[in-house]
Amino acid sequence: MTTIAIRPATPDDAAAIAHAFTPARAAMPGVPVIHTAEEDLWFITHKMLPECSVVVAEAGGTIAGVAAYTDTWLEQLYVDPAHHRKGIGLALLTHVMRERPDGLDLWVFQSNTPARALYESQGFRCVEMTDGQTNEEKCPDARYSWPGTNHSPT
């Protein structure tokens, strides 16, 4: 079993995050690659790290995944394909859910059935489907919502 450590990301982690982020995005089923590795690094350095709370998952001393979130949105959750099926995505998602007990929303590509299954297994529900015309990739996506642990059923 792989030992997974979740910790806050620092600006010094940008290149290692990109090393996991770029192949993870390239491995998504049915989604075209529209950014270069250099563009991904720029995005991580200039947008993700300054604008979001960001945590990384380390496995074997390597950054294997990343999650970026705001007060109400899970903006990014990616796991390097070399580390798929080792619990890293679940560990990242669980961490973010603990940090945001009032609930979260996220977008996921409809074709990314492993990610959708993960979110659904943790209580996220699909609340909207689109044809993808408003995202960069122009691929059908779905908005998921989780009410949080502070939500009381009516």
Side-chain angles (χ1 to χ4, degrees):
M1 178 151 188
T2 304
T3 301
I4 304 164
I6 306 292
R7 66 167 176 80
T10 70
D12 290 340
D13 292 323
I17 292 169
H19 192 261
F21 181 87
T22 297
R25 288 195 45 95
M28 284 190 295
V31 179
V33 174
I34 61 170
H35 294 288
T36 65
E38 292 78 18
E39 290 168 332
D40 286 345
L41 179 57
W42 184 94
F43 171 77
I44 291 160
T45 303
H46 298 285
K47 301 299 275 176
M48 184 191 295
L49 287 168
E51 295 177 10
C52 296
S53 296
V54 181
V55 293
V56 295
E58 290 184 329
T62 300
I63 291 179
V66 61
Y69 52 101
T70 66
D71 287 343
T72 57
W73 284 90
L74 176 57
E75 298 286 345
Q76 314 285 333
L77 194 157
Y78 289 100
V79 176
D80 183 332
H83 295 275
H84 280 181
R85 303 276 184 232
K86 295 179 181 174
I88 292 168
L90 177 59
L92 286 164
L93 183 59
T94 300
H95 176 88
V96 173
M97 292 169 73
R98 267 195 313 260
E99 292 291 308
R100 295 297 183 260
D102 291 329
L104 288 166
D105 285 277
L106 62 87
W107 286 101
V108 61
F109 292 108
Q110 291 179 30
S111 62
N112 194 345
T113 54
R116 292 178 67 188
L118 171 64
Y119 299 134
E120 290 170 7
S121 77
Q122 298 307 303
F124 283 79
R125 296 293 168 249
C126 184
V127 296
E128 180 182 4
M129 303 271 253
T130 80
D131 62 6
Q133 291 310 299
T134 59
N135 64 50
E136 282 187 301
E137 294 83 359
K138 304 296 181 218
C139 292
D141 55 6
R143 182 170 63 91
Y144 276 73
S145 188
W146 173 66
T149 55
N150 292 337
H151 173 76
S152 24
T154 53

